[in-house]
Amino acid sequence: MAELAIEANNLTRKFAEMTAVSSLNLQVEKQQIYGFLGPNGSGKTTAIRLFTGLLKPSSGHVKVLGYNLPVDAERLRRQIGYMTQKFSLYDDLTLTENMQFIARVYGLNPKEQKSRLDELISIYQLTALKKQLAGSLSGGQKQRLALACAVMHKPKLLFLDEPTSAVDPENRREFWEQLFDLCDQGVTILVSTHYMDEAERCHKLAILENGIKRADDSPAQLMANMPANVIEVSTDNLRQLKQQLVALPEVVSASQLGAHLRVLVNKSIADPMTFLKQSHIMPSHTAMHLVRASLEDVFVLSTGNHIMPRASINKVEQ
Amino acid sequence: MNSLLRIQAIVIKELIQLKRDRMTFGMVIMIPLVQLLLFAFAINTNIRHIPVGIVDQSQTALSRVLQQTITATSIVDFTRHYTSLAQAQAAIDRGDVRAVLVIPDDVSQRLVRHATVGFGTSSASDQETSRPIAQWLVDGSDTAIAASIKSLRNMPLAELLDKPVNRNVPTFEVTIIYNPEQRSVVNIVPGLVGIILTMTMIMFTSAAIVRERERGNMELLITTPLASLELMIGKIFPYIFIGAIQVIIILGLGYCFFNAPINGGLWQLTFATLLFICASLVLGLVISTLAKNQLQSMQMTVFILLPSILLSGFMFPYEGMPEIAQYIAEGLPATHFIRLVRGVVLRDVAVIDMTFDMLWLIGFTILGLILAALRFKKSLD
Ligand SMILES: Nc1ncnc2c1ncn2[C@@H]1O[C@H](COP(=O)(O)OP(=O)(O)OP(=O)(O)O)[C@@H](O)[C@H]1O
Ligand SMILES: [Mg+2]
């Protein structure tokens, strides 16, 4: 088994009544990109704060790069980079001033500073923005600056909390190229996201909901192990059909995608096409195809964003 | 070595931010300027030209001379005339005048028998001779005004009659060594240094940590190797210069425009001021680690500022305060600094000779810095 960068056992964090992270067991291997996928408030940021020693766990243990937290948090800090969800550099400093600040804080001497800044500015294409106040940068530019600052001291482990939330698809691809470059250089990356296409790029993925890990595996395995088949239905009057379909206990979820209805049928039904035809609610001129499961289907199945019989929730959880 | 680099990082960052924050930068200059003018002009314990009324029941040449003699002291101006005591009383009730002089119709007789003029012999048993010549009705709500009018009580009346003055030999001779002209501005200007520094220094740093928290910078700062003590030192360092600029403004203007003397050595002054600037900045930092947001930090600053103005000896003499107020005053850095700075500026004392106040400020700074660093947890909990 490969070396672990993060190892969490029964990690729990409560805020008063609310449990933000609940009995999280997690293993992140070194030199991988590990994704956190989950809806708003699912505990992604809280989990990252627990891994960086910013918050203390209510119970459970976590070991990051071999350091026990929160005891060894201070020693860990030199080896990790953290890009916060909300821009946390100084709005009233220019891009260069912000980078110099970070470089000094991490103890780079003036000569190292200069060469490292030049290097990062060219990698992250910030040359034209050097003298601009950080507060006036666009969302995507801010995120490039934040990433440049997070990797200033060449950390072994990088935490990125929704790094591309303000980045357009084109730049997002570019951003991920850079993440893979870092990964190639031996950096382990933990990244949280709302985007399916990003989640699909990760080596491994954990799906979180209400602070509970619903599933974790590589994206391909998650899709292969999904406990439902996906049927694409095209016909008229989709809204009404959807209502009737979700009333069936075997139908896990039905959602409209343009002129299609994407229907997830529990895997306990061996032949879902025949099952749907025999359900007598399909109009006669209906076209049906069995299609490949997507990560979104996995996400929908794993999280509570659909009408799902109790039995199949349990199936996903185990 | 790295530690110095990190402190330097914070200092440079703070200076750039301060440079960009025009409003705060303006305050650095405007607060001492405006406050100096306000306090130097408004606070005046030697009150002059109080508008008063008069009820002249005698209507004699003597009563008119009496009026002129009193006006000549320039403590009061007779602005209203009333015909009866009742009218005068009503005028005081309405607040038209602060006091009324009632001159009785037998003023001439009274004057002739009056002790200060030298006719009668003062003896407590002789009611007739010890009667005053006229009466003041005073609205005593404002004690300062009442005190000024009370000071007229023993006004010499020699000029009223062309008689040689029977001057009493004073029991004590009073020699005023410092501030011989008894101008209040001489005492106010150095005290004001303490008040303005309390106001600005605490204000600047009390927001220092909360602001980072509110703007979301804290999450970044605490994931870096920056130690809390390094952050605290880096945060207060730039403001030491700001404080120095303010002191120069106050004492410089005081010297040029109000003739407030600087008798002590400049090095002594610099030393005393540095001690106090550091103590105030550290107090601000402690507030900053206690406050949850900038509003709270502002409220706490005011909470410190008010007693600093009232109890530090700036407005009222320490010696005259009740014991409990003196205890509170002892806990305020401003009290110790105002003693030091008045000592240096007015009496040319060496700071080292005022050992207690000096050590108090040093101790306060060190303890405060440690407390702030301990209270500042590098976590979001
Ligand atoms: N400091 C806090 N005090 C109280 N509750 C908190 C605190 N921080 C987080 N929570 C709660 O914990 C839960 C998880 O929050 P968290 O920020 O970890 O979610 P998230 O997955 O990062 O969401 P998002 O995608 O919106 O960023 C939320 O319900 C939130 O309200
Ligand atoms: Mg979040």
Side-chain angles (χ1 to χ4, degrees):
Chain A
M1 185 162 176
E3 260 191 289
L4 293 182
I6 305 176
E7 203 178 351
N9 288 312
N10 275 316
L11 194 64
T12 302
R13 172 67 205 213
K14 293 190 173 121
F15 293 109
E17 296 295 282
M18 146 103 217
T19 307
V21 171
S22 163
S23 302
L24 180 65
N25 289 306
L26 196 79
Q27 269 129 31
V28 177
E29 288 171 25
K30 282 195 173 158
Q31 281 215 47
Q32 283 206 337
I33 300 186
Y34 195 97
F36 265 7
L37 186 64
N40 292 129
S42 56
K44 303 182 293 292
T45 301
T46 307
I48 291 178
R49 286 175 175 168
L50 287 168
F51 297 155
T52 49
L54 293 188
L55 287 176
K56 292 190 176 55
S58 306
S59 66
H61 299 282
V62 58
K63 216 169 164 178
V64 180
L65 294 177
Y67 295 107
N68 276 310
L69 294 185
V71 190
D72 276 336
E74 204 51 52
R75 275 193 281 170
L76 174 68
R77 286 194 174 133
R78 285 153 212 274
Q79 315 212 6
I80 58 170
Y82 176 27
M83 177 174 161
T84 51
Q85 178 170 2
K86 180 174 176 286
F87 185 67
S88 56
L89 287 155
Y90 294 95
D91 282 345
D92 46 0
L93 259 55
T94 65
L95 185 139
T96 316
E97 286 162 355
N98 265 306
M99 292 183 76
Q100 280 168 342
F101 172 71
I102 296 293
R104 286 194 192 102
V105 164
Y106 279 102
L108 270 61
N109 66 41
K111 228 169 89 196
E112 291 168 336
Q113 259 180 50
K114 172 130 186 32
S115 65
R116 186 71 179 140
L117 251 63
D118 288 345
E119 185 185 358
L120 289 173
I121 283 175
S122 86
I123 295 177
Y124 296 103
Q125 297 147 28
L126 299 167
T127 320
L129 309 169
K130 271 170 146 175
K131 294 217 166 63
Q132 204 169 324
L133 287 185
S136 67
L137 295 172
S138 80
Q141 291 165 342
K142 274 185 187 167
Q143 274 163 324
R144 286 204 317 264
L145 168 62
L147 181 62
C149 288
V151 300
M152 179 71 69
H153 57 297
K154 303 191 173 150
K156 294 195 187 112
L157 174 59
L158 198 54
F159 293 94
L160 308 174
D161 198 353
E162 293 184 31
T164 56
S165 56
V167 181
D168 65 54
E170 171 65 29
N171 280 308
R172 211 151 76 204
R173 195 156 47 203
E174 180 75 18
F175 194 93
W176 273 82
E177 286 306 315
Q178 284 155 349
L179 293 193
F180 280 113
D181 283 344
L182 284 169
C183 185
D184 232 33
Q185 293 155 24
V187 181
T188 312
I189 301 175
L190 190 148
V191 54
S192 80
T193 182
H194 293 296
Y195 296 114
M196 297 302 153
D197 62 323
E198 283 192 354
E200 212 159 343
R201 291 167 187 264
C202 298
H203 294 111
K204 259 184 116 177
L205 190 63
I207 297 178
L208 297 183
E209 190 200 18
N210 292 331
I212 298 165
K213 185 179 79 181
R214 298 293 188 190
D216 73 333
D217 213 330
S218 68
Q221 282 301 313
L222 283 172
M223 290 186 275
N225 297 343
M226 197 174 72
N229 288 310
V230 187
I231 317 282
E232 225 170 56
V233 178
S234 23
T235 182
D236 322 317
N237 211 353
L238 290 176
R239 302 303 300 165
Q240 195 197 339
L241 180 61
K242 182 187 159 187
Q243 296 304 326
Q244 290 169 327
L245 280 173
V246 295
L248 298 173
E250 294 84 357
V251 172
V252 177
S253 131
S255 60
Q256 193 169 351
L257 279 174
H260 309 293
L261 211 54
R262 205 170 167 92
V263 185
L264 305 189
V265 183
N266 200 312
K267 265 211 172 126
S268 58
I269 309 292
D271 186 354
M273 304 264 264
T274 323
F275 163 77
L276 284 182
K277 270 187 198 128
Q278 286 167 355
S279 68
H280 302 296
I281 51 175
M282 292 292 179
S284 45
H285 51 278
T286 302
M288 283 194 277
H289 307 279
L290 191 65
V291 295
R292 208 176 75 91
S294 73
L295 201 55
E296 184 152 359
D297 297 325
V298 178
F299 184 70
V300 166
L301 257 178
S302 313
T303 62
N305 298 344
H306 62 108
I307 301 147
M308 187 197 243
R310 201 61 226 158
S312 49
I313 294 181
N314 294 338
K315 226 170 247 154
V316 179
E317 267 179 66
Q318 44 164 285
Chain B
M1 185 57 222
N2 276 350
S3 184
L4 281 182
L5 207 58
R6 289 193 290 270
I7 294 176
Q8 186 203 358
I10 298 285
V11 171
I12 294 178
K13 185 213 86 172
E14 291 287 323
L15 285 175
I16 298 174
Q17 288 185 312
L18 195 65
K19 188 184 82 188
R20 301 243 160 86
D21 185 356
R22 286 283 154 80
M23 185 70 190
T24 305
F25 205 65
M27 282 300 180
V28 169
I29 311 288
M30 288 310 288
I31 289 181
L33 242 153
V34 172
Q35 299 284 327
L36 177 72
L37 295 180
L38 283 181
F39 277 100
F41 283 127
I43 297 192
N44 193 354
T45 46
N46 322 327
I47 302 168
R48 313 240 146 224
H49 302 291
I50 307 163
V52 295
I54 185 162
V55 180
D56 189 351
Q57 291 167 340
S58 82
Q59 298 287 350
T60 55
L62 179 69
S63 69
R64 279 185 288 278
V65 177
L66 181 60
Q67 266 187 60
Q68 281 160 14
T69 320
I70 296 174
T71 311
T73 64
S74 72
I75 292 179
V76 296
D77 286 335
F78 291 101
T79 54
R80 309 274 176 110
H81 292 260
Y82 304 105
T83 48
S84 73
L85 210 57
Q87 235 183 23
Q89 179 84 51
I92 291 180
D93 291 348
R94 283 195 307 273
D96 292 351
V97 289
R98 296 297 200 142
V100 173
L101 178 66
V102 183
I103 303 181
D105 44 15
D106 60 346
V107 65
S108 315
Q109 288 98 304
R110 288 182 185 223
L111 185 69
V112 170
R113 290 197 205 103
H114 198 268
T116 58
V117 191
F119 264 44
T121 43
S122 55
S123 115
S125 60
D126 189 349
Q127 279 294 321
E128 197 65 7
T129 48
S130 55
R131 273 177 74 190
I133 57 164
Q135 184 191 19
W136 279 101
L137 290 177
V138 182
D139 168 11
S141 336
D142 190 319
T143 51
I145 287 184
S148 288
I149 294 178
K150 271 189 195 160
S151 74
L152 288 172
R153 196 157 50 176
N154 294 324
M155 201 183 94
L157 296 172
E159 297 112 67
L160 289 186
L161 305 168
D162 293 326
K163 296 278 168 195
V165 185
N166 173 20
R167 274 220 183 85
N168 292 325
V169 177
T171 319
F172 300 108
E173 178 174 323
V174 177
T175 310
I176 297 176
I177 310 178
Y178 302 107
N179 192 9
E181 302 103 356
Q182 292 289 285
R183 290 183 307 130
S184 48
V185 74
V186 168
N187 207 28
I188 284 177
V189 169
L192 199 56
V193 174
I195 299 306
I196 290 177
L197 285 182
T198 303
M199 189 186 298
T200 52
M201 294 294 99
I202 298 183
M203 203 163 68
F204 284 143
T205 45
S206 69
I209 306 285
V210 239
R211 193 174 47 222
E212 302 257 352
R213 224 175 262 282
E214 278 188 353
R215 292 191 188 164
N217 308 123
M218 195 49 79
E219 198 169 357
L220 174 92
L221 276 189
I222 58 186
T223 33
T224 68
L226 195 67
S228 16
L229 197 60
E230 292 163 358
L231 178 63
M232 298 298 150
I233 294 174
K235 280 268 178 193
I236 63 171
F237 199 74
Y239 294 103
I240 294 180
F241 295 101
I242 302 285
I245 293 176
Q246 296 190 320
V247 175
I248 293 172
I249 293 178
I250 303 165
L251 291 179
L253 283 184
Y255 183 75
C256 297
F257 292 108
F258 299 102
N259 234 331
I262 303 174
N263 298 326
L266 282 183
W267 284 114
Q268 294 296 332
L269 184 60
T270 312
F271 181 46
T273 313
L274 269 185
L275 288 182
F276 181 61
I277 289 178
C278 291
S280 300
L281 289 173
V282 164
L283 181 57
L285 272 187
V286 174
I287 290 180
S288 199
T289 59
L290 293 170
K292 295 253 177 333
N293 52 49
Q294 291 201 51
L295 183 67
Q296 280 187 8
S297 77
M298 207 62 210
Q299 288 167 335
M300 286 194 236
T301 304
V302 173
F303 187 75
I304 302 282
L305 184 62
L306 278 181
S308 294
I309 292 179
L310 296 174
L311 302 182
S312 63
F314 168 65
M315 290 194 94
F316 312 110
Y318 175 86
E319 293 75 8
M321 287 187 278
E323 203 170 338
I324 175 110
Q326 291 188 345
Y327 279 125
I328 299 173
E330 284 295 332
L332 296 166
T335 309
H336 300 277
F337 173 68
I338 286 180
R339 280 182 208 155
L340 282 181
V341 77
R342 281 182 176 159
V344 172
V345 170
L346 302 177
R347 300 190 310 261
D348 189 16
V349 197
V351 175
I352 211 95
D353 293 333
M354 303 182 71
T355 324
F356 171 72
D357 295 309
M358 179 186 80
L359 288 181
W360 195 96
L361 286 176
I362 295 175
F364 184 89
T365 306
I366 294 172
L367 287 182
L369 203 58
I370 294 172
L371 181 69
L374 286 180
R375 273 218 41 101
F376 176 72
K377 290 274 179 324
K378 281 190 79 183
S379 88
L380 292 173
D381 281 292

